């Protein structure tokens, strides 16, 4: 290509290429674990250390704790240091929230601190928000958009970083990635238009008249198109994800056939439910209600980070009786917008979980397919309670053998449903199971579950446990807080004297006795 064929854009690209090559080399080093990315690089969308967010959090915390202390940059406040050590040891959403709160308290005293120390704390605040945003915290994502715009206004970054910050500002503010390039291009065109044609109708008409006299009319139509604000920022609505669960049926089944109930959804694409809320808010709410299970809650919710729709890994909640495992599983599914189906495995001694053949009087579709029908969605949740108590005899099949192929994505995409005698796609169904122990669970099934331990609540959790039990009693008795208030201090002390932690069922019995005593006292007065 001759020199005369290059224009101003080519010359600008030539100036950008060395920075882009240097940025790519640095990103490669970060992904290989040679060095940590800076906070600005992470904010600009670069991958984390070793492409692993928990590893990045741990390595960064270690680096900050070992950073040389100077008069301008003394050791961080004890609360910040404790949070950093917790992240170094076990990165988690809870640990990041603790660091965020500690940093907020530390920043309140910024008037007494050295400017470089303040800048360091501010950088830690930004990095914490980046970590939280990548764990699904929408509020942190919006703060990241603000951080990115603030840094852009300050300048001094290389062009690849500046573009990454601009992209981060748009995406964290909710702009779909596929619309960003067009938006930037049109926004740049609007700026050029204002500088060349002015900002008033008269000046723009004058410019357009001059343009018409010098250029083809067809080119002017392009300018007119971009002058309409309505065309600038309206993105196309994204296509909703769908999945055909049941293939077409040759004819409508008889009304006494198990397949009859599923005829209306056969060959139809059912929606795959997306989570569109604030994952951080869901985590905070569930952890406030089940604080002893915070680690398990955070692990399960991490399955949603970066996904287009909801599908949780097959998970077994393991813990002593009365620790709230079943109620937690149901509440978690509902909080995500899934319709949960509760299946009690205790005493189940056959393979009816996978459906019952039409030759039996109790013929029906599988539990998973019934859950799909109930939710009218391709990705409901099935909660299997006390799975270790199901029978393991293979005389008429058993639940555990029936469940194994359902937990494998490869086989569950086309698995024969015995009830309707058709291959169905239940690969997007989420399975949560509970067990008091591992004895009684077959090895093939256990291999396919992620096992999360739910410890028993301790005496420090009594206020939360009592509040939850009283709320359950209100729902069961169709009452409200006026007629059934939470336990007062004396009532809590009375329960505390007889409960040192463990099963919540014992607490429920005591609270039922207290509520009955209240009602008896009210009846006499």
């Amino acid at each position: 290509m001759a020199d005369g064929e290059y224009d101003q854009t080519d010359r600008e690209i030539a100036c950008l290429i060395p920075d882009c090559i240097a940025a790519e080399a640095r990103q490669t080093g970060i992904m290989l674990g040679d060095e940590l990315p800076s906070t600005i690089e992470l904010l600009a969308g670069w991958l984390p250390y070793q492409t692993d967010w928990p590893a990045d959090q741990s390595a960064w915390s270690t680096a900050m704790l070992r950073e040389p202390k100077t008069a301008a940059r003394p050791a961080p406040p004890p609360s910040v240091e404790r949070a950093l050590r917790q992240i170094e040891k076990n990165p988690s959403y809870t640990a990041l929230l603790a660091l965020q709160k500690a940093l907020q308290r530390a920043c309140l005293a910024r008037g007494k601190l050295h400017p470089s120390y303040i800048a360091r704390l501010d950088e830690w605040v930004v990095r914490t928000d980046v970590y939280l945003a990548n764990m699904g915290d929408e509020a942190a994502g919006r703060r990241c958009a603000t951080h990115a715009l603030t840094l852009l206004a300050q300048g001094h970054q290389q062009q690849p970083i500046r573009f990454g910050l601009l992209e981060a500002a748009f995406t964290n503010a909710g702009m779909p990635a596929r619309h960003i390039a067009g938006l930037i291009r049109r926004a740049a065109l609007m700026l050029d238009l204002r500088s060349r044609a002015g900002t008033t109708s008269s000046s723009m008409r004058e410019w357009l008249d001059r343009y018409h006299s010098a250029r083809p009319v067809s080119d002017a139509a392009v300018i007119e198109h971009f002058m309409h604000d309505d065309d600038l920022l309206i993105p196309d609505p994204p296509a909703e994800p769908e999945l055909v669960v049941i293939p077409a049926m040759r004819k409508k089944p008889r009304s006494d056939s198990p397949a009859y109930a599923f005829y209306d959804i056969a060959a139809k694409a059912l929606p795959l439910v997306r989570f569109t809320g604030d994952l951080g808010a869901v985590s905070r709410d569930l952890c406030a209600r089940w604080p002893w299970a915070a680690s398990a809650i955070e692990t399960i919710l991490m399955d949603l980070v970066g996904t287009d729709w909801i599908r949780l890994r097959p998970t077994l909640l393991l813990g002593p009786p009365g620790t709230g495992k079943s109620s937690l599983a149901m509440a978690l599914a509902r909080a995500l917008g899934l319709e949960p189906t509760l299946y009690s495995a205790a005493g189940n001694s056959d393979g009816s979980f996978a459906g019952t053949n039409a030759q039996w009087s109790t013929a029906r579709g599988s539990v998973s397919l019934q859950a799909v029908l109930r939710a009218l969605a391709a990705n409901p949740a099935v909660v299997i309670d006390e799975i270790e108590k199901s029978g393991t005899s293979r005389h008429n099949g058993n639940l555990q053998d029936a469940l194994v192929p359902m937990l494998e994505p490869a086989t569950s995409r086309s698995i024969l449903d015995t009830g309707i005698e058709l291959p169905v796609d239940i690969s997007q169904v989420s399975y949560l199971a509970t067990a008091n122990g591992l004895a009684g669970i077959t090895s093939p099934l256990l291999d396919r579950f992620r096992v999360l331990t739910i410890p028993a609540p301790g005496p420090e959790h009594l206020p939360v446990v009592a509040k939850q039990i009283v709320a359950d009693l209100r729902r069961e008795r169709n009452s409200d807080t006026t007629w059934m208030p939470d336990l007062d201090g004396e009532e809590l002390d009375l329960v505390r004297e007889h409960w040192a932690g463990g099963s919540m069922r014992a607490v429920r019995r005591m609270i039922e006795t207290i509520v009955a005593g209240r009602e008896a006292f009210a009846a006499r007065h």
Side-chain angles (χ1 to χ4, degrees), residues 79-108:
S79 58
V80 174
E81 186 170 345
R82 283 195 300 272
L84 286 172
R85 293 196 183 282
Q86 179 60 35
I87 295 170
E88 179 186 33
K89 180 181 177 182
N90 183 26
S92 69
Y93 185 78
T94 301
L96 287 169
L97 285 181
L99 176 59
Q100 181 189 52
K101 292 178 181 178
L103 289 170
Q104 288 172 349
R105 289 193 296 269
C107 289
L108 291 175

Side-chain angles (χ1 to χ4, degrees), residues 93 97 132-133 135-143 278-280 284:
Y93 185 78
L97 285 181
L132 290 170
M135 298 179 88
D137 192 318
E138 286 192 351
R142 290 189 292 270
R143 291 195 298 272
D278 186 341
L279 199 59
R284 289 190 292 273

Side-chain angles (χ1 to χ4, degrees), residues 167 170-171 174-182:
E167 190 174 26
F170 282 126
T171 53
M175 174 65 65
R178 64 183 180 279
H179 297 301
I180 291 174

Side-chain angles (χ1 to χ4, degrees), residues 208-231:
L208 198 56
D209 288 340
R210 293 194 301 271
Y211 184 81
H212 273 301
S213 64
R215 303 291 296 173
V217 175
S218 58
D219 285 351
V222 177
I223 298 296
E224 287 181 345
H225 168 73
F226 283 109
M227 285 170 61
H228 290 289
D229 289 341
D230 292 343
D231 293 333

Side-chain angles (χ1 to χ4, degrees), residues 5 24 110 156 233 243 251 260 269 289 352 405 459 474:
E5 296 181 33
E24 183 180 355
R110 61 174 56 236
H156 311 303
L233 302 177
L243 178 70
K251 60 181 181 178
Y260 181 80
R289 294 164 62 190
S352 59
R474 285 194 205 105

Side-chain angles (χ1 to χ4, degrees), residues 415-437:
I415 185 170
L416 180 66
D417 190 285
T418 309
I420 69 171
E421 298 180 324
L422 284 172
V424 297
D425 187 344
I426 52 173
S427 59
Q428 301 308 308
V429 176
S430 295
Y431 297 93
L432 300 173
T434 72
N436 299 330

